Amino acid sequence: MAAGLVVLVAAGIGHAATDSPGGASVFAPYIGHWACEGHFTSNNKPIASTMSFASALAGKGIIKAQDDVPTLGNYHSVETWAFDAKANQWVAGIVDSSGGVRTFRSPGQVEGKLTWTLVDGQPAQQFVYSPVSSGKFQLDWLIERPGKGLVVGDTLTCKRLAGAS
């Protein structure tokens, strides 16, 4: 996994800026540990996971880890978020437990939402983070379906774990 993350960083954000507009402080509300519950939209099957977000790159990036609750899934991932000055966008590299390596881009927070869009690959995908209230956010994974465009594949509501920052 560590080797994959090194490759991901070199390929996905190797040219990331050492400085960015506002730095990663825009993501400060996500820093900490979260418990998430939700469902797959196609069959309403429940899912649950834990997520942690940590500041990285001297405050200019984020590292996110996500682990499904074993009884409800087997997805595990590590993400790096950093600013790409050349593209004037945020870039996320995701390595997951099924061998997936994906790169996403985002303009940052727009109207309170953070949307990551898959750079290259099929089907098209997005991750959309939406604040619900203080200490709570919703994460929707959207995937392209033939004839339907992007549809929500699964949705999670995440609550900050008490005492965790």
Side-chain angles (χ1 to χ4, degrees):
M1 178 67 104
L5 188 56
V6 169
V7 170
L8 178 63
V9 170
I13 64 171
H15 62 284
T18 57
D19 201 2
S20 59
S25 62
V26 68
F27 304 127
Y30 296 106
I31 299 294
H33 302 283
W34 303 81
C36 307
E37 295 182 342
H39 63 277
F40 292 97
T41 55
S42 63
N43 58 12
N44 216 29
K45 179 182 173 189
I47 54 174
S49 64
T50 59
M51 291 184 200
S52 65
F53 297 81
S55 179
L57 304 171
K60 298 188 184 345
I62 298 289
I63 294 178
K64 175 192 167 198
Q66 180 174 345
D67 296 291
D68 276 359
V69 171
T71 57
L72 294 176
N74 59 5
Y75 181 79
H76 306 278
S77 66
V78 175
E79 301 180 22
T80 55
W81 300 359
F83 193 74
D84 179 345
K86 289 181 182 179
N88 197 34
Q89 292 185 23
W90 288 90
V91 62
I94 302 175
V95 178
D96 65 44
S97 55
S98 65
V101 177
R102 298 173 285 169
T103 302
F104 289 76
R105 294 218 177 252
S106 174
Q109 300 253 4
V110 176
E111 297 180 11
K113 292 185 179 185
L114 173 62
T115 301
W116 293 101
T117 302
L118 184 64
V119 173
D120 290 314
Q122 293 297 321
Q125 298 175 47
Q126 288 184 331
F127 288 99
V128 179
Y129 292 76
S130 305
V132 173
S133 64
S134 179
K136 195 183 232 184
F137 70 88
Q138 181 172 319
L139 174 56
D140 294 321
W141 171 62
L142 288 78
I143 185 165
E144 184 177 32
R145 297 290 187 215
K148 296 182 180 180
L150 285 171
V151 298
V152 177
D154 68 50
T155 186
L156 290 166
T157 299
C158 301
K159 298 177 187 176
R160 184 178 301 280
L161 292 172
S165 58

